[in-house]
Amino acid sequence: MKTTIALLLVAFAGIQAQIGIPCHSNIFNFTPRHNLNISRYAGTWYVQEVGSSNIGNFPQPDWKCEKHVYSAPTETDPPTLSVLEVYVNITDGTTFSEDMPISVNATRSPMSAMWRKTSGVDGDLESQVFIMSADLEFATWTIMYSCAIHKPFFFRREVLMAMTRSRTIQPDLRSFLKALMVGGGFRIGDQWSIDQTGCTN
Ligand SMILES: *[C@@H]1O[C@H](CO)[C@@H](O)[C@H](O)[C@H]1NC(C)=O
Ligand SMILES: *[C@@H]1O[C@H](CO)[C@@H](O)[C@H](O)[C@H]1NC(C)=O
Ligand SMILES: *[C@@H]1O[C@H](CO)[C@@H](O)[C@H](O)[C@H]1NC(C)=O
């Protein structure tokens, strides 16, 4: 997992436009999903689409079969949960996984949809995660925003993802989710599908 973070950093460190820019921390820039029931939102999600604010500079993903497994929240104040993220590297065929703790900003809507995820070497990489939208039952699809500032260059990696409960996705649902991503108040750059075929993870 430490390797993953380092390689991602190298892959994106050359993009000067994303150096020194803060994440969107103002709730008025974005409207996260209101009334997020985190217990129902928990479980497995398959990443189907990714987009970034690195306009014209977000390379085609070299990974596939990405899934996120969110644990049930622990009812502390504020609640915490964790996510196991797994993907297969297309280049060398290896499977990466990382289990990361998440703290929820607050329990009241819309704050429950604003999370902080800790990852990386010694937990030193903090990502801001906003659940932007999801179907009413949290049973089919969701759009998630994630942003982290990577040291030492203070490179901003800002990603918008469409995820589904089912590994297979119908073309009309994919089109709908792509449209939601583009309309999400986020100046989206390149957008790519994540290959979810032939996966065993
Ligand atoms: C996949 O593996 C290649 C070769 O080891 C590496 O250069 C690349 O950064 C890896 N990509 C990811 C997303 O782990
Ligand atoms: C959230 O979902 C859980 C599990 O389905 C349910 O037991 C709980 O009542 C829900 N909470 C709210 C506030 O709707
Ligand atoms: C919660 O979100 C608000 C609004 O964006 C922000 O000002 C505050 O710092 C956040 N608190 C935590 C603990 O993340």
Side-chain angles (χ1 to χ4, degrees):
M1 93 184 158
K2 293 177 181 176
T3 325
T4 317
I5 301 295
L7 290 172
L8 281 175
L9 179 60
V10 170
F12 292 98
I15 303 165
Q16 298 301 319
Q18 297 291 330
I19 305 286
I21 301 175
C23 290
H24 291 84
S25 53
N26 188 333
I27 191 173
F28 297 109
N29 289 346
F30 280 123
T31 307
R33 173 66 148 80
H34 285 233
N35 300 313
L36 180 74
N37 184 326
I38 302 168
S39 301
R40 290 172 76 176
Y41 190 85
T44 302
W45 291 101
Y46 297 96
V47 180
Q48 303 289 356
E49 292 287 325
V50 292
S52 167
S53 61
N54 301 348
I55 294 177
N57 265 316
F58 189 58
Q60 184 164 13
D62 63 350
W63 69 93
K64 58 181 252 177
C65 303
E66 183 179 358
K67 73 170 184 183
H68 295 186
V69 184
Y70 294 90
S71 71
T74 303
E75 296 303 330
T76 50
D77 186 21
T80 57
L81 59 157
S82 66
V83 58
L84 178 70
E85 296 187 5
V86 186
Y87 69 88
V88 175
N89 185 315
I90 294 172
T91 311
D92 60 16
T94 53
T95 299
F96 281 102
S97 69
E98 186 174 0
D99 203 354
M100 296 167 269
I102 289 173
S103 62
V104 177
N105 186 306
T107 49
R108 275 190 295 171
S109 178
M111 296 302 197
S112 60
M114 300 171 73
W115 302 353
R116 280 178 197 279
K117 184 177 78 179
T118 311
S119 62
V121 185
D122 306 321
D124 63 351
L125 184 65
E126 191 174 83
S127 301
Q128 206 177 59
V129 176
F130 293 169
I131 317 308
M132 302 299 293
S133 34
D135 69 282
L136 286 176
E137 310 295 331
F138 310 108
T140 311
W141 59 266
T142 186
I143 306 281
M144 180 183 277
Y145 165 89
S146 170
C147 182
I149 306 293
H150 292 256
K151 289 171 206 166
F153 303 112
F154 298 98
F155 167 75
R156 180 180 72 171
R157 186 162 197 265
E158 202 177 30
V159 178
L160 202 57
M161 282 176 293
M163 305 192 289
T164 55
R165 289 294 197 186
S166 166
R167 184 156 244 161
T168 53
I169 180 171
Q170 298 304 315
D172 57 348
L173 178 57
R174 188 186 295 282
S175 300
F176 169 71
L177 295 177
K178 286 168 84 165
L180 270 185
M181 286 168 76
V182 171
F186 177 86
R187 194 171 167 234
I188 203 163
D190 301 317
Q191 188 162 341
W192 301 100
S193 297
I194 296 295
D195 185 6
Q196 292 286 355
T197 58
C199 304
T200 54
N201 62 321

